[in-house]
Amino acid sequence: MSDAPQKTVFLETFGCQMNFLDSELVIGQFRRMGLRIASDRDSADIILFNTCAVRDHAEQKVTSRLGELRQVKADRPGVIIGVIGCQAEREGKLLISRFPHIDVLCGPSQLDRLPDLIAEAQATRKRAVALSGGVKGRQRDADPEGNAIERLDQSRAFAPGENPLQAYVRVQRGCDKFCAYCVVPGVRGKEKSRKPENIVADCRRLVEAGCREITLLGQTVNSYVQNDAAGQPVTLARLLEQLCGLPNLLRLRFVTSYPGGFDENILRVMAAHPAICPYLHIPAQSGSDRMLNAMRRQYTAADYLRLMDRAREIVPGISLAGDFIVGFPGETESDFAATVEMVRRVRYKNCFVFKYSPRPGTAAAQLPDDVPDDVKRERNNILLAEQAAISSQTHAELVGQRLSVLVEGPSKSAIESPAGNPRQLTGRTVFDQIVVFDCPAGAEPSQLAGRLAEVRILHATPYTLIGELATIESAGAPNDSAPLRYKSLTVIQ
Ligand code: 5AD
Ligand code: SF4
């Protein structure tokens, strides 16, 4: 056996859940190559950024990181610097001309090749590149069948003793909607649904390894449809039903839904199966028909509101989350007022609000970016304040109730803030509400991850519910593999 120290890899991820899933899968590949995952960037042998291209701001963060690495590469020419994901695909060789110290460039549809690209760059000391053709991907798709992504998805492996409590599973890659502002169809290619058998097999393996919550990922997940082995089309509604049959799968979610052509059978299946969380992330983007039309969204504000009403009728208590873009070209005060009105009408659980960012290669990039940045910022703040007021009200109604919470582990403040409470735990309800509470005496906060707790809500902020633990699942819970120091914890009233 070689005495050479194990090589290390540092990977920083930007962007959406799809990118976090991709990163998890490539990390699995690295582990199999014998690499160690490093937390210190500048001393790692391989430094990678998994990038996002949806807004300019995300790209700027990466270009500033790449600027910082110039010196690292000058000091240690053997270091491999790689840019992977959507910005790599969008900017392509342009990125190399600005940052010639990049050794590896790999688009999101080629990530199964990443270990080979890194090995090639190390062996040849030349740059290794795997891209599909940038934003012109509308004409060219290097992986139209989605085989490369399938290989990546199926490469998921667990280290011994690893217990994935929550996992993302891709059901679909790419997007065919071509909303006017969006770079995703260009960088992630055509929409392609994975085979249902493969998805079910992935989910089964996860559940058998101890996973209790699975989130299915697709850019327009409700348009999922793929033939099964018998040649019968399986829709998202059918797929959800099949997955609910997996023993010990506690919670199943799916994101992100597209409002146009939403099949009500999905709502019926949600209502019928307690394992499917009553939660929809369903971006409206605007409340104004003029804007929706300019954005090339394939529905009107009235269609969207009708669908939200149906969702509330069919799935009682359903929690709705939305995305909005403010300051899209030509957005007037009255267009924006329609968006505010929509937020008030829908009463979302939460909203993500984005200032429009022109993206080269998209249809909207041809339009003048005519809403000044300070107006975009003001509209962004107004919308967030509207939503915060709604969230405060709905959260206040929960004070005094006992909610069932799947514990995720120590809270952000317990981990990151020196002044934070190191024993604070965080988890989520089926409605995706974040609940924090103190770990009971005698238990280790990190060992409670994955357990269902009953938490009595004491206070609320717009973003978080703060409670006290009432009961928690005992150590003999299904799939328990992590030893707990105690057998069961009961009521602390
Ligand atoms: N500018 C601002 N926001 C954008 N989004 C997508 N493209 C842009 C853009 N060019 C937002 C949409 C989408 C979310 C993931 O990002 O709201 O739902
Ligand atoms: Fe982008 Fe529209 Fe596709 Fe969503 S549906 S990924 S916003 S093009």
Side-chain angles (χ1 to χ4, degrees):
M1 209 172 94
S2 152
D3 286 339
Q6 209 179 5
K7 291 235 187 227
T8 58
V9 56
F10 171 90
L11 171 62
E12 187 177 9
T13 306
F14 299 83
C16 64
Q17 290 120 321
M18 204 59 106
N19 264 17
F20 280 84
L21 169 61
D22 284 339
S23 286
E24 190 194 322
L25 295 171
V26 299
I27 281 176
Q29 296 186 333
F30 294 151
R31 288 220 172 93
R32 252 165 286 142
M33 289 163 72
L35 294 171
R36 192 164 59 76
I37 310 306
S39 53
D40 180 51
R41 183 185 78 184
D42 292 356
S43 64
D45 298 300
I46 302 161
I47 304 173
L48 297 172
F49 300 107
N50 190 3
T51 59
C52 169
V54 162
R55 281 169 294 276
D56 184 55
H57 182 63
E59 294 196 340
Q60 300 266 338
K61 280 198 224 159
V62 173
T63 48
S64 98
R65 303 277 201 281
L66 288 169
E68 290 159 20
L69 287 179
R70 235 180 228 122
Q71 194 55 46
V72 174
K73 184 74 176 178
D75 295 343
R76 292 193 296 127
V79 67
I80 296 288
I81 296 175
V83 183
I84 65 176
C86 296
Q87 184 179 5
E89 185 65 54
R90 194 192 74 74
E91 288 205 281
K93 303 234 160 107
L94 210 78
L95 208 53
I96 296 173
S97 64
R98 282 181 69 193
F99 303 102
H101 50 287
I102 294 176
D103 301 289
V104 171
L105 209 53
C106 182
S109 313
Q110 318 255 336
L111 288 174
D112 65 315
R113 292 177 55 195
L114 188 58
D116 291 345
L117 295 172
I118 291 173
E120 186 189 321
Q122 279 170 327
T124 63
R125 303 239 153 196
K126 291 209 182 93
R127 192 172 294 125
V129 176
L131 302 173
S132 308
V135 287
K136 293 183 190 67
R138 199 194 269 256
Q139 287 94 34
R140 253 176 69 187
D141 190 335
D143 182 31
E145 293 306 312
N147 293 330
I149 292 292
E150 188 56 46
R151 280 193 294 275
L152 183 69
D153 283 321
Q154 291 195 10
S155 72
R156 191 192 311 248
F158 310 108
E162 197 181 349
N163 189 348
L165 299 166
Q166 296 169 300
Y168 293 130
V169 171
R170 186 177 355 244
V171 300
Q172 199 185 44
R173 53 148 272 185
C175 179
D176 285 348
K177 294 281 188 267
F178 288 97
C179 300
Y181 50 80
C182 187
V183 81
V184 168
V187 293
R188 286 203 178 253
K190 281 189 74 57
E191 179 188 305
K192 175 87 190 165
S193 292
R194 292 183 66 206
K195 291 200 175 94
E197 298 84 357
N198 294 349
I199 297 168
V200 174
D202 283 1
C203 292
R204 177 170 290 119
R205 282 198 315 129
L206 279 162
V207 173
E208 284 170 1
C211 182
R212 306 194 81 187
E213 179 176 290
I214 290 179
T215 303
L216 306 180
L217 297 185
Q219 236 75 45
T220 57
V221 68
N222 49 311
S223 64
Y224 172 87
V225 60
Q226 185 56 274
N227 286 352
D228 63 13
Q232 292 303 310
V234 175
T235 58
L236 181 69
R238 188 73 203 96
L239 180 68
L240 290 169
E241 269 180 328
Q242 289 185 13
L243 293 174
C244 284
L246 290 174
N248 298 331
L249 177 59
L250 197 64
R251 291 184 180 181
L252 182 60
R253 295 179 202 277
F254 55 93
V255 290
T256 301
S257 291
Y258 183 82
F262 191 100
D263 174 11
E264 283 192 7
N265 283 323
I266 297 171
L267 300 172
R268 290 192 196 97
V269 170
M270 284 172 95
H273 295 277
I276 308 175
C277 295
Y279 169 80
L280 273 188
H281 178 204
I282 186 153
Q285 310 296 4
S286 173
S288 150
D289 284 345
R290 220 173 62 82
M291 287 297 102
L292 289 172
N293 191 37
M295 289 174 171
R296 303 192 181 169
R297 301 284 285 182
Q298 297 158 24
Y299 53 87
T300 63
D303 295 336
Y304 182 86
L305 289 171
R306 231 180 341 261
L307 176 61
M308 297 306 99
D309 287 345
R310 289 296 288 155
R312 291 208 194 275
E313 273 164 43
I314 298 171
V315 189
I318 192 169
S319 178
L320 302 169
D323 292 1
F324 287 93
I325 297 176
V326 292
F328 187 78
E331 187 187 64
T332 62
E333 282 300 328
S334 90
D335 293 317
F336 177 63
T339 295
V340 173
E341 184 51 29
M342 179 172 274
V343 169
R344 288 187 185 147
R345 281 276 309 272
V346 177
R347 293 186 74 76
Y348 292 99
K349 188 217 73 165
N350 70 296
C351 274
F352 301 94
V353 184
F354 305 103
K355 292 189 296 173
Y356 170 67
S357 166
R359 304 282 62 216
T362 60
Q366 310 294 322
L367 306 171
D369 181 18
D370 55 2
V371 179
D373 197 57
D374 54 340
V375 177
K376 286 181 185 169
R377 198 174 319 123
E378 192 191 359
R379 291 180 185 172
N380 189 314
N381 291 342
I382 292 171
L383 216 50
L384 287 176
E386 283 292 335
Q387 180 55 44
I390 295 163
S391 300
S392 290
Q393 280 172 16
T394 44
H395 275 181
E397 287 160 17
L398 295 171
V399 171
Q401 292 194 24
R402 276 166 69 143
L403 303 180
S404 179
V405 173
L406 185 60
V407 181
E408 294 178 355
S411 73
K412 211 168 163 210
S413 102
I415 300 166
E416 288 171 9
S417 157
N421 169 2
R423 296 190 59 78
Q424 190 179 61
L425 288 165
T426 186
R428 279 170 205 260
T429 66
V430 284
F431 300 107
D432 204 45
Q433 293 139 333
I434 298 170
V435 180
V436 297
F437 59 97
D438 277 358
C439 179
E444 265 301 311
S446 58
Q447 291 213 323
L448 295 187
R451 265 154 225 286
L452 263 188
E454 287 257 317
V455 179
R456 195 173 51 223
I457 306 305
L458 302 173
H459 316 282
T461 74
Y463 309 106
T464 313
L465 297 166
I466 302 120
E468 66 178 2
L469 184 67
T471 63
I472 189 153
E473 238 176 344
S474 72
N479 286 318
D480 184 32
S481 60
L484 273 183
R485 294 239 188 90
Y486 53 91
K487 266 287 160 226
S488 102
L489 263 167
T490 37
V491 190
I492 312 165
Q493 289 282 8

